[in-house]
Amino acid sequence: MSTLQPPPTWALPVIKDKVTGVETYNPIWINWFLELARSFIPYSVKTNNAATYTVTSTDTTIVQTTTAAVYTLPSAALSTGRKLDLVTQFAGTVTSASANVIPRIGGVAGTAILPATAGAWAVLQSNGISWVAIAGS
């Protein structure tokens, strides 16, 4: 005799604080779930030639082909762990519309993303507060 198994669920395990009794989601499982969910987001390469650009939820790589540009990056708080690859094909700067980019050397968040160098590139990753340059030229 066979029995049907219940379908798998995407419910996240809850942990209960022994002192306060407050229930919360286990942060390890939340990070795992977010990584899993991100794996279903299609990758896209956006070619931009405008002086301004608002990064969309599906952008993963943006190639700036002409003119200096100002990018409006997504909220770092809503993008924890997300990575963006940015590259220029001309000698012009790429900056953020907000002071929310921490340079590779660390320090205070500013607006600089890419210098005025043809072929400059950077990988930004959200830490939940700012966009951090984790690699680049």
Side-chain angles (χ1 to χ4, degrees):
M1 178 171 163
S2 66
T3 60
L4 295 175
Q5 296 294 319
T9 66
W10 290 95
L12 295 173
V14 175
I15 54 177
K16 187 173 186 176
D17 187 292
K18 293 179 182 177
V19 176
T20 64
V22 174
E23 292 182 344
T24 185
Y25 293 113
N26 183 329
I28 294 170
W29 281 96
I30 289 175
N31 286 334
W32 172 83
F33 184 77
L34 289 174
E35 284 301 316
L36 179 66
R38 283 188 194 102
S39 70
F40 293 107
I41 296 173
Y43 292 100
S44 71
V45 177
K46 166 67 178 172
T47 300
N48 184 51
N49 59 6
T52 61
Y53 181 69
T54 299
V55 177
T56 69
S57 61
T58 59
D59 287 337
T60 56
T61 302
I62 304 169
V63 179
Q64 187 66 30
T65 58
T66 61
T67 195
V70 177
Y71 289 178
T72 300
L73 299 172
S75 164
L78 300 176
S79 303
T80 302
R82 180 177 175 190
K83 291 181 184 178
L84 293 170
D85 300 320
L86 309 172
V87 65
T88 62
Q89 294 180 336
F90 74 103
T93 61
V94 174
T95 57
S96 174
S98 303
N100 59 354
V101 179
I102 297 174
R104 285 193 334 257
I105 61 171
V108 178
T111 59
I113 299 175
L114 295 173
T117 306
W121 62 275
V123 178
L124 302 181
Q125 184 170 21
S126 169
N127 66 4
I129 299 169
S130 299
W131 288 91
V132 181
I134 60 171
S137 56

